[in-house]
Amino acid sequence: QVQLVESGGGSVQAGGSLRLSCTASRLIYSTYCMGWFRQAPGKEREGVAGIDSDGSTSYADSVKGRFTISEDNAKNTLYLQMNNLKPEDTAMYYCALQRGMCRLSRVFAGDDPFTYFGFWGQGTQVTVSS
């Protein structure tokens, strides 16, 4: 089992920045993908960004150029630096772990993220006001 704990959410004004963190109790796969997802009220959970165990990254079109995903393997911690935040970024943000190479492109195309990502954190709320 793996526990994922997110932190760093909060309330900011449009144009502001936040840095989310996700700490894993342990990484049980040698090849894996860790991703950030978000879910706004009344909407489906959507992929935001992902990073493979080899360091390859991928982003949803809506956040490219504004968000940066990174990880600190020594600390088993995943980060999401969010700059130039917009009101439409308001959502609960979740981190998740998937065994094997990232399938986030399929999530971006509409697949259910729970099909691929088996471990999830409880989420951290991000609220962006205009």
Side-chain angles (χ1 to χ4, degrees):
Q1 284 291 341
V2 177
Q3 283 77 48
L4 302 174
V5 179
E6 303 97 334
S7 61
S11 297
V12 297
Q13 290 189 327
S17 299
L18 284 173
R19 187 196 196 201
L20 306 184
S21 299
C22 170
T23 299
S25 58
R26 60 192 182 118
L27 291 175
I28 59 177
Y29 306 125
S30 58
T31 302
Y32 62 86
C33 173
M34 290 199 75
W36 286 102
F37 299 80
R38 66 187 182 186
Q39 188 167 17
K43 295 188 176 181
E44 294 184 349
R45 193 165 299 190
E46 63 176 4
V48 175
I51 185 166
D52 273 322
S53 47
D54 67 357
S56 301
T57 60
S58 57
Y59 296 91
D61 288 342
S62 59
V63 306
K64 282 181 181 176
R66 300 188 298 122
F67 291 10
T68 302
I69 189 171
S70 62
E71 62 179 350
D72 184 335
N73 291 326
K75 297 180 179 180
N76 284 354
T77 300
L78 179 72
Y79 301 101
L80 185 68
Q81 178 66 44
M82 306 186 295
N83 298 327
N84 191 21
L85 283 160
K86 303 176 181 181
E88 52 263 42
D89 295 318
T90 295
M92 185 71 79
Y93 282 70
Y94 301 88
C95 68
L97 172 67
Q98 176 215 313
R99 179 179 184 179
M101 299 302 290
C102 260
R103 297 291 183 261
L104 208 56
S105 60
R106 298 185 182 179
V107 176
F108 292 156
D111 282 6
D112 184 343
F114 293 97
T115 300
Y116 308 108
F117 289 82
F119 297 98
W120 292 83
Q122 296 102 320
T124 185
Q125 177 68 37
V126 172
T127 302
V128 185
S129 59
S130 58

